[in-house]
Amino acid sequence: MLFNRNKSKAWDRLDSIYKHFKKTQMKDLFAADAKRGELYSEQLETMLVDYSKNRIDDNVLEALFALAEERGLKEKIADMFSGKKINATENRAVLHIALRNRANTPIYVDGRDVMPQINAVLEKMKDFSEAVRLGRFTGYTGKKLTNIVNIGIGGSDLGPFMACEALRHYWAKDINCYFISNIDGTACAEVLNKIDPETTLFIVASKTFTTIETLTNARTCRKWLIDALGEHAVAKHFIALSTNKEEVEKFGINPDNMFAFWDFVGGRYSMWSAIGMIIAIAIGFKNFERMLEGAFAMDEHFKNTAFEHNIPVILALIGVWYNNFYGVHRYGVIPYDQYLQYLPAYLQQLDMESNGKSVTLDNKFVDCATGPVLFGGAGTNVQHSFFQLLHQGTEIVPLDLIVPAISHNEIGAHHQILLANILAQGEALMRGKTEEEAAAELEAAGKSQAEINRLKKYKSFTGNRPTNTIILKKIDPFTLGMLVAMYEHKVFVQGVIWNIDSFDQFGVELGKKLALNILPELQGTAHNVAHDSSTAALIKHIKKIRK
Ligand code: G6Q
């Protein structure tokens, strides 16, 4: 179906609603309806999503749901869950949902049920992760493997890294996890300095097994291990997570030590697959399965719930409302939880790599804005850094504020202070403070009239700044699974609205290719390659310094 927003009835309706609605103040909407908070909240299992502090009302929401209907969202969701090749540019199915399909109902790709192979790999992961944790699979010299190093980048790093950090509370006491992703030798050196070869397991995580950063890091680690323990030790200290058996063998890893996944699992959607091995080793396979169950609960909710109560759909459409009608192309995720501190970095890839596209599925340039710029950081830290701009800057930045009601570390009043802060931020951003209110406060503080007049503008806040508040019970594997799956589906819904392929990533290729051209120049084996004058001068300058 050709999507042209200028000819879309639902889009036109939203355009005209926006013209009247844009000046509406959220605080007036709250004043007019004492039940607004309750009305615009949804709960799933142990997760509550309050989306009431947004510039929306029933009329706006209805029009957004109509847009989703018009875009065929229901059918698109069914297509994904049934294994249709919705990653059209790469002609692939998109089946991260199959990896956590706890009902084990068949899902067919090219006439073949994918569930048996998924279950077989999960079984193999279970055996291996338990063998490592129990010390049944040991290092070459018979010592227990307690340092687990994941070597991977992008989707083969960010998911496992974020999830391991989020679930640190569940780590086996004698296990430590490390992550090497950057090609910068420092990344390798800093990890290798901390660990002992006899007790280290390297996990080479690469879907393609051709990624230069990962293979270079893996080779360096392999040499480090061989220097210490000899060539024979490799089989006991290296495993691979990949779709490419041939390259794994070429690298020198025994295929018995390879854990497979498939081209229907996108890199940034792969932490539920073999790529999650380090998570399973750290937290135990039972907990890993709980994470899959949490994601499955969100999948079922997403697949079966009417748009009006469908959490990923609602969040996605509110995002579209700001992005395409208010012209707000940015968005922040602020977890108020130390364990979730890497969630924004993970979501940055999920969202920006998925929806940072400019060509529609009909092979035309888009005629509306697509994926927003996503950033974030852990509360309360960021309240003392970039929140100034969020409160008083000229840019509107919609936020997701996330917090667990119960901390794993309930020490004194820490968690209550944290909770008070997240709630206060949402309230402050929505309500703001008028000049009159600022003046009254200054007066109460005993300031002179001249001082009050001088300061009241600086001390006022426009408010009307949107937030979603997501309250979790506790950061446990099940909850994390739900949360991550919620964002995956939110991104998918937005991709459907914008009619783009959320599952390819051609945009990362050009720079990679050019780096391969420049490398021989820096190494002195190629000369006089054509470049723009800036790049040419920079190459010359670097070579001079490194001589
Ligand atoms: C994710 C991307 C990308 C990918 C990395 C690593 O969706 O495809 O981030 O995960 O480039 O690729 P390999 O796993 O093939 O090494």
Side-chain angles (χ1 to χ4, degrees), residues 105-117:
T105 42
I107 299 176
Y108 296 97
V109 176
D110 295 326
R112 192 168 159 224
D113 181 10
V114 297
M115 289 315 297
Q117 47 182 345

Side-chain angles (χ1 to χ4, degrees), residues 341-383:
Q341 63 179 312
Y342 298 109
L343 183 69
Y346 169 80
L347 293 179
Q348 209 160 45
Q349 177 186 32
L350 177 67
D351 203 316
M352 293 171 75
E353 199 166 66
S354 296
N355 286 342
K357 312 283 165 67
S358 307
V359 179
T360 68
L361 284 163
D362 310 302
N363 217 341
K364 296 197 162 45
F365 282 109
V366 290
D367 60 1
C368 65
T370 61
V373 172
L374 190 158
F375 73 105
T380 59
N381 291 8
V382 294
Q383 288 177 202

Side-chain angles (χ1 to χ4, degrees), residues 106-107 130 143 149 160 168 176 179 308 327 334 356 388 398 444 496 500 505 533 544:
I107 299 176
E130 281 176 359
K143 286 198 180 160
V149 183
R168 206 174 241 278
N176 261 315
F179 291 82
E308 290 74 12
I334 318 294
Q388 165 62 39
V496 169
I500 53 178
Q505 57 282 313
S533 61
K544 198 168 131 199

